[in-house]
Structures are given as C-alpha cells and as structure tokens.
Amino acid sequence: MKLVTFEITTQLGKQRRLGAWIEGDRIIDLNFACALYLSETAGRSAADQQADAILPSDMLQYFEWGDVARDAAQTSLEYIRERLLRERDVTGCRNEQITYAVDFDTALPTQ
C-alpha cells in the first residue's frame, strides 16, 4: 500500500488527509473508506466515529497506532477496490468523497 498525505478544501478550510495511492492514479481517503466499510458490513450507526478511533486521517498517528490502523487501512482499501470494480465512484456513509484523482498540487510530500 502506497500511503500519501493529500489536501482537500472543505467548508472549514483546507484539511490534510491520509490516503492510499492506487492503480489508475487515484487516491482513496482511508478514514472515510473505513467508515463506509464499518457502516455497510457491520451495520454500525456511528461508523465515522469508530473509524476515527481505529484509523486516523493523519499519517503520523497512523504509524503511532501500528497494527490496528494498518489492518483497518488494508481491509478498508480492499473493500473500496472491490466496490470500484462494480461502480464508477464510491461515496462515504455521509456522502463524503472517497476517491480522488491524483493531483500533484494536492498530494503532499511525506515528511
């Protein structure tokens, strides 16, 4: 899995997010992917909060959290890849954008 930090613009301003760079030059937002996975496979009503507890949107925290975050990222990424085989695009459990085209203006260098 190729990890990347990317930046998006939201109503609250710019946010940095943790993503996985996949084939086809797309980035998957791992935290939003995890929330979708939890809501659709486990029927969890607070999936976004649970995703925040096991798979952070920050790369430094991701590495600090170790195996729990890595396993959640891998499972979530596989789930989204499967969905993308059947669907052109996938949105999050709260209609968040999960997939992004790679844009070298928003993909940030790792530190």
Side-chain angles (χ1 to χ4, degrees):
M1 175 174 16
K2 296 178 184 177
L3 297 176
V4 62
T5 298
F6 66 103
E7 194 170 78
I8 60 172
T9 302
T10 70
Q11 293 176 349
L12 301 175
K14 292 186 178 188
Q15 286 188 342
R16 290 183 174 200
R17 306 284 301 168
L18 173 65
W21 190 328
I22 64 168
E23 59 280 342
D25 282 339
R26 288 197 278 185
I27 295 173
I28 304 298
D29 185 307
L30 290 172
N31 177 265
F32 288 155
C34 182
L36 181 64
Y37 172 78
L38 292 172
S39 74
E40 291 187 350
T41 62
R44 299 189 178 173
S45 60
D48 52 341
Q49 294 170 347
Q50 292 172 354
D52 288 343
I54 61 173
L55 182 53
S57 59
D58 175 79
M59 190 173 303
L60 186 58
Q61 284 182 331
Y62 170 85
F63 286 115
E64 288 173 352
W65 293 6
D67 291 344
V68 171
R70 189 189 73 238
D71 293 347
Q74 191 62 45
T75 300
S76 302
L77 181 58
E78 289 171 11
Y79 180 74
I80 296 300
R81 279 186 165 146
E82 282 294 315
R83 293 274 307 267
L84 288 171
L85 292 174
R86 299 185 310 271
E87 303 169 42
R88 186 164 192 250
D89 199 17
V90 178
T91 56
C93 56
R94 294 182 184 239
N95 216 25
E96 306 93 345
Q97 184 174 348
I98 291 181
T99 62
Y100 296 85
V102 171
D103 176 351
F104 291 99
D105 292 330
T106 58
L108 302 172
T110 55
Q111 299 176 355

